[in-house]
Amino acid sequence: MSEKSRIGTDLDLDADGKQVTRLFVPNPSNTSAWGAIVVPIASIKRGDGPRVLLTGGAHGDEYEGPLALWEVMRELSPGAMRGQVIVVPTMNVPGMQAGCRISPVDHRDLNRSFPGDPRGTPTSALAHYISSELLPRVDAVVDFHSGGRSLSFLPCGVMHQLPDPEKAAKTEALLQAFGAPWALVLEELDAVGMLDTLVEDMGKTFLTTELRGGGRVTPEAARIARRGIWNVLAHLGVTDARPDAVPEGRDATRYLEVPDRSHYTLSPSAGIWEPTFELGDRVEAGQVVGRIHHPETPERAPLSLEAKRSGVLMAERVPALTAAGDTLAVIAKER
Ligand code: CA
């Protein structure tokens, strides 16, 4: 990671004050010879203090975080804070422009591309810039996610299972400050290349979210995202608490955990997915969580899929049309 980034910007990360500017990620094409992908970025800084990176839109079909981060970019002023807040609200700009998860430019998933490569594709070069230029400057990272077009989640703040009890306690305090109605403690199925893993390996505090999804924004999810990010900034000591953004505390947050693969129901075959529970419902192991219907052979009985674990239905597939290998349901254990 010692090689210099090819990304161009007039951003001065050492300067006090507020800068809202852009990163230019080289992307020459047939229609733009010296073209670039333009990624908005802000730095709001005053003196010494907590240093935080806020990111969203790694997946271009997840909108709740960007909404909250655009508000922070507009409203946070250096006079009303201490330390530094760096905001990259829509990391995957081509994905957001196209309404899709993966970058349509190089077909890479940004959140599987860390730490990145300065000589790589645009997605990989941006991951490298974030890894080498931004992460070393901060103590904590909040990265917003939601279900995107294909999944919907109970609105939750998310942390990973962390082996170090001190780091786990610090992260859980941040999760609680975020103040979503649900809090999820997760073991990632596929942690290689994730921003999450890199930040945690660097010994920094990492919080993420899963705020609804379905390729849309709900009023509730937007409210949770906005209130949550101001709560987090106050908790970290960047700002003073907003009177309308008081964390609800542990009593108001319901804790869930997903320790392993047995909590996921994946589709064994293509078809039309009919779920039998609503998000937030209690499901018992052995109950049918849904059925896959076969449109070409309606004389066949649908395939019933049973829950392997008891718990709360915390995520579900949104489109009924399903391919083999799609995640259909995630049942979380109550903590
Ligand atoms: Ca996501």
Side-chain angles (χ1 to χ4, degrees):
M1 275 206 280
S2 56
E3 196 174 334
K4 205 173 149 30
S5 176
R6 287 153 54 226
I7 288 173
T9 184
D10 60 359
L11 179 67
D12 179 356
L13 287 161
D14 296 320
D16 270 1
K18 180 168 183 170
Q19 305 167 73
V20 178
T21 183
R22 273 125 194 110
L23 304 174
F24 292 87
V25 185
N27 181 39
S29 68
N30 288 332
T31 53
S32 183
W34 291 2
I37 296 164
V38 182
V39 181
I41 186 168
S43 169
I44 305 118
K45 183 172 182 299
R46 190 177 72 162
D48 296 330
R51 304 170 305 161
V52 193
L53 172 64
L54 309 178
T55 54
H59 299 134
D61 57 354
E62 302 176 6
Y63 308 103
E64 300 81 350
L67 289 175
L69 297 181
W70 292 327
E71 182 177 282
V72 171
M73 285 173 89
R74 289 191 301 268
E75 295 188 7
L76 183 62
S77 69
M81 53 90 75
R82 56 198 81 80
Q84 184 170 23
V85 177
I86 303 169
V87 191
V88 190
T90 52
M91 292 188 286
N92 175 7
V93 168
M96 184 140 303
Q97 289 164 338
C100 53
R101 175 181 176 90
I102 308 285
S103 170
V105 170
D106 55 16
H107 309 287
R108 293 285 299 271
D109 182 333
L110 177 64
N111 209 26
R112 299 293 182 278
S113 301
F114 286 90
D117 177 355
R119 301 184 190 206
T121 67
T123 297
S124 185
L126 179 65
H128 173 264
Y129 176 87
I130 293 167
S131 306
S132 61
E133 301 288 335
L134 303 185
L135 293 186
R137 292 177 175 269
V138 299
D139 316 303
V141 177
V142 180
D143 184 31
F144 278 97
H145 283 260
S146 76
R149 283 193 298 193
S150 65
L151 287 174
S152 183
F153 283 82
L154 289 175
C156 52
V158 182
M159 65 176 277
H160 297 113
Q161 289 178 332
L162 298 172
D164 177 346
E166 200 182 312
K167 286 208 182 83
K170 206 169 163 184
T171 308
E172 189 173 328
L174 194 60
L175 176 68
Q176 216 171 304
F178 184 77
W182 300 85
L184 174 64
V185 183
L186 186 66
E187 183 68 43
E188 290 290 347
L189 286 188
D190 178 22
V192 176
M194 292 180 77
L195 175 63
D196 316 42
T197 315
L198 179 63
V199 174
E200 286 165 1
D201 288 350
M202 289 170 89
K204 299 167 192 290
T205 308
F206 185 83
L207 182 73
T208 182
T209 71
E210 293 292 358
L211 297 171
R212 295 287 180 197
R216 63 184 292 243
V217 176
T218 67
E220 178 206 32
R223 204 162 49 237
I224 292 166
R226 288 196 177 105
R227 193 190 57 190
I229 199 61
W230 291 109
N231 282 346
V232 158
L233 292 176
H235 174 82
L236 293 171
V238 172
T239 59
D240 297 325
R242 291 192 163 196
D244 60 342
V246 177
E248 290 173 0
R250 185 157 184 136
D251 293 345
T253 300
R254 293 173 68 184
Y255 275 70
L256 299 171
E257 58 183 14
V258 177
D260 59 56
R261 278 177 194 277
S262 67
H263 293 260
Y264 293 71
T265 302
L266 268 57
S267 179
S269 66
I272 302 300
W273 170 242
E274 177 201 0
T276 46
F277 289 93
E278 302 278 357
L279 281 183
D281 281 352
R282 169 90 200 163
V283 181
E284 301 301 331
Q287 279 187 305
V288 172
V289 287
R291 303 177 190 92
I292 296 174
H293 296 265
H294 314 290
E296 295 84 2
T297 50
E299 66 275 23
R300 274 172 73 194
L303 178 65
S304 292
L305 298 177
E306 292 175 4
K308 292 188 283 286
R309 298 285 179 178
S310 301
V312 173
L313 183 66
M314 60 145 291
E316 62 174 2
R317 179 168 173 82
V318 174
L321 182 62
T322 291
D326 286 339
T327 294
L328 301 173
V330 184
I331 295 164
K333 201 166 107 184
E334 284 158 295
R335 222 181 166 203

